Amino acid sequence: MLRYVTTNAGKVREALSYLDDDVTQLDFDYTEVQASDLGPIAAHGAREAYRYADEPVLVDDAGLFIDGFEGFPGPYSSYVEDTLGVEAVHRLAAAELDEPRRASFRCVLAYCDGEPFEASPNPIDRDDRTVAAARGAEQDAEETEALPVKLFTGSVNGRIVPPRGEGGFGYDPIFEHDGATFAEMSAEEKNGISHRGRALAKFSTWYAER
Ligand code: IMP
């Protein structure tokens, strides 16, 4: 059984519709290493979760990238949500940036089952060299052991607006796409166009063959 690694039940609900209910949540808080891209963070998390669970795992790492802030908060979205808060991110964007305050949500799914992969359009992350370089530190033998991870990406464009809507989670109320914020959409509507939905669609097609 595939385990969806997250402490966020909202993400699992979004994943279920793409994976025919063939997935259960693994409530495991993997180490979020510092890196400027989501890919190495998700791949590192997938290795750690696979070693912990000894079952096929799918790690989901996502963030909000604001164009006028060179992608900030990006990989630091979680930290910024916990410290500044989502409404302060909107106030900052409104104070500093001109309309339309473009942004994107991006999601990387990282899959690991301990086995190698056939080549496919979706990239494979083969070890933690990027993470080690970002840390500038030596890693212990277990962490650097090669454990291939397959990556699937999805993104959706929108703009930063004053908070609207009651649904979703995280930055959904301040992210508008096609006239509605993600928090104003039903779960199905968001799922159909979201960064996570797009990454899940690629993953589920590939996983059906696996
Ligand atoms: P993580 O991928 O769970 O680490 O999430 C990183 C940050 O992005 C957190 O602050 C989440 O609340 C936020 N986030 C991730 N996915 C979404 C989404 O679909 N909508 C709104 N916020 C999200």
Side-chain angles (χ1 to χ4, degrees), residues 6 8 11 14 30 32 60-64 77-79 81 105 169-172 182 190 194-196:
T6 180
N8 181 340
K11 287 183 174 183
E14 293 185 9
Y30 58 89
E32 287 222 3
D60 167 325
D61 201 47
L64 176 70
S77 295
S78 187
Y79 178 71
E81 183 184 344
F105 267 129
F169 64 93
Y171 294 90
D172 282 347
F182 271 8
K190 178 184 170 188
S194 78
H195 49 312
R196 182 164 300 102

Side-chain angles (χ1 to χ4, degrees), residues 4-5 9 37 40 53 60 87 102 114 167 179 207:
Y4 204 93
V5 185
D37 292 332
D60 167 325
E87 296 191 6
R102 292 187 204 286
Y207 188 60

